[in-house]
Amino acid sequence: MKLLLVSFGLTLISVECFKPTTFAAPRHSRSCCSGCPICCPTTLAAVYGEPRPVQIIPSVLPADFGKLGADCKALEDAGCDRIQFDVMDGNFVPNLTFGPDTIRWCRQYTTLPFETQLMVSEKCTDAMLPQFTEVTKGPNGEPGVVIVHVEACTHLHRALSSIRAAGGSPSVALNPHTPPEMIENVLDLVDHVLVMTVNPGFGGQAYIPTMTDKIRKIRKWIVDRNLDVDIEVDGGIKATKETIGACAEAGANCFIAGSGLFAYDDMAQGVKELTALAKEGQGLPANA
Amino acid sequence: MSSPIHCSKPHCCKCKIGPSMLASDLSDLANEAKCVLAAGCDELHLDVMDGHFVPNITWGSPVIKSLRKNIGEDAFFDCHMMVAKPSQWVKDIGLAGGNRYCFHLEAALSSADSTVPDLCSLIRSCGMQVGVALKPGTSVEAVAPFIALVDMVLVMTVEPGFGGQSFMPNMMPKVVSLRDSYPKLDIQVDGGLSPKTIDVAAKAGANIIVAGSAVFKVKDKAREVIEGLRGSVEKYGNGIGEEGEEEKEKA
């Protein structure tokens, strides 16, 4: 159904592509192409840039902590791109998981890159950042991804700079309530931005759909400023169009999957399905 | 000049050896635990650190839960809680399979969320034994009001936070004082215990021994180290429990 909006003295806009079902923001789709500046693929490329490589990154939170090393090896064998270690100190989030020594011991089991998400208070971040940066490095000292939370860093610019100086790959995470503007001024310092799509602390939660627009906003800044930055999402990511598909469409390319991957008996199949849906969300064929 | 040896009166508390899993391969915890259990240890000592009470983070209830699932129900999990808010984790640790919840007196007294008696009640209501730990700088007088509420006192023989530190012999007067005042109290020592330092701790009256590096440092020697530690406690502290006494009389 084509609707024409006529505003006196203003341009006619075709709103065929607008299919609002609720009072929320209209849902845009790459499949409609009527020159709408929001949905037209050509214009989308200008907003979202060329799709960045899809990376499937399991979180070890659902793993067996009695044999974490072996589980890391299994994740490598399943074709994952990186492994995420969720460090929680029971203060920033209401859960306490593990620390730097656990990560250090797991290094011997796999050559996959590591990433460490520090869901810890500012006191812990300040005191232990060098240690975590060191243990997250690759087998030959390659930079590992170290994610600090914007909410836990009064001096975020300094913290990100110190990760880089210590040989790590800096990343910044935002809790669901945190507006993206909080990291706008440090986008030039990071290699990744992690948009939390659940409240951090526990696995198995449902994806928060209002995070999709946050991803879109950050992606536009990255493209507009021609920055080389990945957007990572974490929380409730499963092989569904509503989660990984929506995030990919909005501009995310790195996907943390915890229970969403460990639910598979054959995790390699899980990686394939997640990757295929992510690529579909990006508007790419599955084997791209 | 050697340190003075502090000796308590003989006691009949059972010797228990609890290797500290912090000194093991943290990526293969289940197998490491099974090895030391097979080598004859009585408990597994699990150091829970939250980066706030001590400047290190080790593990929390998710790791303990995984370990319990791998090991089975029989092993005794002695959870040493080096955390800022001891009451925060009692239920989680209980559900994860902890058997003894040993909180630090310093944290309990400074934390605003629970009194020591309430904390002890909470621990028992979750089906766990109660332990209370003292950092090197904390006197035994501080724990005296609460002795009747606890099953065990842990006298730290290093500053808590990291493994591999040197044993502090000047903590032994605290052990002697506790042993002489409370003959039936379980007294644990933790930090730098090894075949070289065990005699001093045994003579002072400690009966529950936590040893980390000494047990895990050399592969295939765990049984020998555990037996050596036990032998010292039983020789110098008369640490054979009621079951042992009956067997000793029969022999």
Side-chain angles (χ1 to χ4, degrees), chain A residues 56-271:
Chain A
I56 305 300
I57 303 161
S59 153
V60 297
L61 207 52
D64 183 348
F65 293 120
K67 53 176 187 72
L68 198 51
D71 274 11
C72 285
K73 182 74 176 84
L75 291 170
E76 179 177 25
D77 292 342
C80 300
D81 295 284
R82 197 155 76 221
I83 296 177
Q84 188 193 64
F85 290 88
D86 304 84
V87 174
M88 302 181 189
D89 70 350
N91 281 269
F92 182 74
V93 291
N95 194 3
L96 178 56
T97 51
F98 45 75
D101 286 337
T102 298
I103 303 168
R104 183 171 54 80
W105 275 101
C106 287
R107 182 73 266 170
Q108 63 190 311
Y109 287 87
T110 172
T111 54
L112 275 187
F114 284 175
E115 80 173 38
T116 296
Q117 183 182 357
L118 296 177
M119 287 165 278
V120 303
S121 68
E122 180 150 29
K123 177 183 170 182
C124 270
T125 305
D126 285 346
M128 301 184 73
L129 193 54
Q131 205 176 348
F132 279 112
T133 305
E134 194 56 37
V135 300
T136 309
K137 286 179 178 172
N140 300 310
E142 303 92 325
V145 178
V146 180
I147 308 167
V148 291
H149 263 263
V150 62
E151 302 87 1
C153 288
T154 303
H155 300 288
L156 179 63
H157 193 284
R158 185 170 69 199
L160 294 169
S161 301
S162 71
I163 294 170
R164 182 80 72 193
S169 169
S171 174
V172 63
L174 300 90
N175 280 341
H177 75 285
T178 302
E181 284 76 10
M182 290 291 288
I183 53 100
E184 193 178 358
N185 292 338
V186 293
L187 274 179
D188 58 319
L189 292 183
V190 299
D191 295 327
H192 322 77
V193 174
L194 170 51
V195 176
M196 289 303 300
T197 49
V198 294
N199 285 297
F202 300 94
Q205 298 182 69
Y207 175 81
I208 301 174
T210 48
M211 295 299 102
T212 314
D213 278 343
K214 190 196 274 190
I215 299 166
R216 202 168 273 126
K217 195 167 192 177
I218 297 172
R219 180 70 184 154
K220 187 172 187 313
W221 289 336
I222 289 169
V223 171
D224 284 351
R225 292 162 62 179
N226 200 26
L227 294 170
D228 184 13
V229 175
D230 289 325
I231 298 179
E232 196 166 57
V233 287
D234 181 0
I237 303 297
K238 298 188 191 317
T240 63
K241 287 187 179 177
E242 292 76 19
T243 59
I244 200 169
C247 291
E249 189 180 14
N253 65 299
C254 297
F255 306 95
I256 309 294
S259 50
L261 181 61
F262 278 82
Y264 286 87
D265 288 331
D266 176 5
M267 283 201 288
Q269 181 61 25
V271 171

